[in-house]
Amino acid sequence: MKLRCFSCKRTYPYDTYRWRCECGGVFELEGTPGFAKDDIETSDFSLWRYRAMLPVKYEEGLISLGEGFTPLVETQVYGTKIHCKLEFLAPTGSFKDRGTAVLVNVLRGLGVKRVVEDSSGNAGASLAAYAARGRIEAEIYVPAHASPTKLDQIAVYGAKLVKVEGPRERAAQAVQEAAARGAYYASHYYNPFTLEGLKSIAYEICEQLGWRAPDNLVLPVGHGTLLLGAYRGFKDLLAPGLTERLPRLFAVQARPCAPLYEAYQRELADAFAIEKCHTIAEGISITQPVRGRQVLAAVRETGGAVLAVSDEETLRARDELAQRGLYVEPTSAVAIAALLRLRGLIGLEEITIVPLTGSGLKSSAKGG
Ligand SMILES: [Zn+2]
């Protein structure tokens, strides 16, 4: 296995500490094992039942909190039948645990003792928890003005919080400076091992559906890591003929902060940076997605679309879902809100999966 730059195609060894290419491009992992149904560890009911397909070399006692294998629950919202994938049941309350679990196991195999990351939300909490489990020191760079409730979860796991004054981008800059001084940058959006862990959601969905791909996947998108992980996972299943097609990928953004939507509307190949705007969907409030080009290509290849919904639509959708017994944070509800716009595009008999990415308990009832 090796890392390849998505932009200039230059390769780097698997165990490099570099977090992106010299040209600034993002890495993808190449030479992954692929999917083999016979290699499933059928007695394991976590994402590690797919361990033979994951890029983890370290075999002696996995670092795990029992992540993965989340239930599919059927419901109907805005007249559309959906299967909700309950990702908020993950150990730290969000889908991020799939990527972090795989990343942390890779890092232990590489002998990494200390990691840095910039996130004041679900990714930071996830890394803090798995670093604690794996006895790796974690420093999480956060904007000084980030919401104290989110920071509490990170701090209680024992990660060191480094508060950075100024806008969100300053925290990203500070963490990159720390990485330049030798720390491993365990970025949830740059790191390719995180994407490999997120592939497991596609494996699970197909297995839970009796080895078929769904027709549609509708999900919230900021940097687009879950979409790209799922896309790679569905590709793995298509290669040996276990499924017949890729599902259509519908990427949903929050209208106040929607660079991918803007690019999609203008038929551009990549997203351009936009001005920061406030949205209650804070988990996808990303002004410049670093893998935008990959997200747009995946959406177009599968015949999907990029949509954007207002905060009002999001809160209404959050409440609609809660009235069906499912309580998610506003970021997750953008995908539900988009179902209203997808009526007519999604057939009555189609199988549509909506990953419910984060727990409602992480947000206030008013949103945010
Ligand atoms: Zn490059």
Side-chain angles (χ1 to χ4, degrees):
M1 283 181 284
K2 59 189 172 194
L3 306 181
R4 185 181 291 278
C5 171
F6 183 75
S7 304
C8 76
K9 310 300 175 197
R10 182 174 167 182
T11 60
Y12 293 80
Y14 171 91
D15 57 0
T16 180
Y17 268 43
R18 292 197 65 94
W19 51 276
R20 67 174 174 188
C21 180
E22 257 171 47
C23 82
V26 293
F27 287 142
E28 291 208 312
L29 187 61
E30 219 176 60
T32 51
F35 196 92
K37 201 174 158 188
D38 291 344
D39 291 342
I40 296 175
E41 202 79 47
T42 51
S43 60
D44 188 330
F45 295 96
S46 74
L47 69 78
W48 296 107
R49 69 198 270 105
Y50 308 113
R51 72 183 67 170
M53 300 84 174
L54 297 169
V56 175
K57 287 179 180 168
Y58 189 85
E59 291 294 341
E60 257 174 73
L62 289 162
I63 302 166
S64 172
L65 293 164
E67 55 285 335
F69 231 71
T70 55
L72 277 182
V73 173
E74 222 178 302
T75 189
Q76 196 167 346
V77 188
Y78 300 139
T80 301
K81 191 178 76 181
I82 55 170
H83 289 77
C84 296
K85 180 101 171 120
L86 306 196
E87 291 295 287
F88 63 79
L89 295 179
T92 73
S94 89
F95 77 95
K96 303 276 186 193
D97 292 346
R98 290 182 186 277
T100 313
V102 168
L103 171 64
V104 166
N105 278 284
V106 169
L107 296 187
R108 185 166 68 173
L110 301 184
V112 171
K113 300 272 187 285
R114 179 171 158 256
V115 294
V116 292
E117 154 79 309
D118 54 318
S119 160
S120 53
N122 292 334
S126 183
L127 183 64
Y130 282 86
R133 183 76 168 171
R135 299 185 182 283
I136 292 170
E137 203 185 312
E139 273 179 28
I140 315 287
Y141 287 66
V142 298
H145 57 78
S147 119
T149 41
K150 298 247 167 181
L151 301 186
D152 283 349
Q153 190 187 4
I154 298 173
V156 173
Y157 285 128
K160 184 180 167 201
L161 281 176
V162 183
K163 294 189 179 175
V164 183
E165 294 292 340
R168 168 77 181 75
E169 289 70 26
R170 270 293 301 140
Q173 209 178 324
V175 83
Q176 288 172 16
E177 285 160 16
R181 292 192 298 272
Y184 187 96
Y185 182 20
S187 169
H188 60 285
Y189 46 95
Y190 274 110
N191 194 288
F193 298 112
T194 308
L195 285 188
E196 292 301 308
L198 293 171
K199 289 204 302 198
S200 60
I201 194 170
Y203 300 165
E204 283 179 22
I205 290 168
C206 288
E207 188 172 357
Q208 287 170 315
L209 294 176
W211 296 110
R212 59 171 293 187
D215 298 287
N216 311 295
L217 186 69
V218 186
L219 71 180
V221 166
H223 278 295
T225 54
L226 183 59
L227 182 142
L228 290 172
Y231 169 75
R232 287 177 70 94
F234 285 118
K235 281 241 159 176
D236 283 356
L237 293 152
L238 194 62
L242 278 167
T243 55
E244 289 178 348
R245 55 163 197 279
L246 295 173
R248 289 188 292 179
L249 301 176
F250 292 101
V252 190
Q253 296 219 282
R255 191 68 195 86
C257 192
L260 290 163
Y261 173 73
E262 302 285 354
Y264 180 78
Q265 290 292 97
R266 295 177 201 191
E267 297 180 7
L268 303 177
D270 200 356
F272 49 89
I274 58 155
E275 291 276 319
K276 182 80 176 176
C277 293
H278 178 75
T279 166
I280 53 165
E282 56 184 15
I284 51 168
S285 170
I286 305 295
T287 54
Q288 191 171 18
V290 299
R291 294 181 182 273
R293 190 174 281 274
Q294 291 163 289
V295 171
L296 290 165
V299 165
R300 288 176 177 134
E301 180 189 337
T302 62
V306 184
L307 300 96
V309 297
S310 70
D311 282 1
E312 293 72 27
E313 289 172 279
T314 298
L315 273 186
R316 205 178 320 134
R318 193 272 313 265
D319 293 353
E320 284 286 336
L321 194 63
Q323 282 151 30
R324 289 155 180 78
L326 298 161
Y327 185 36
V328 298
E329 62 179 332
T331 302
S332 314
V334 299
I336 301 295
L339 294 173
L340 201 51
R341 300 182 183 207
L342 288 169
R343 280 199 302 197
L345 257 180
I346 292 179
L348 287 177
E349 297 309 312
E350 292 183 6
I351 296 179
T352 301
I353 306 282
V354 182
L356 300 183
T357 50
S359 170
L361 300 175
K362 286 181 178 253
S363 60
S364 77
K366 292 192 180 96

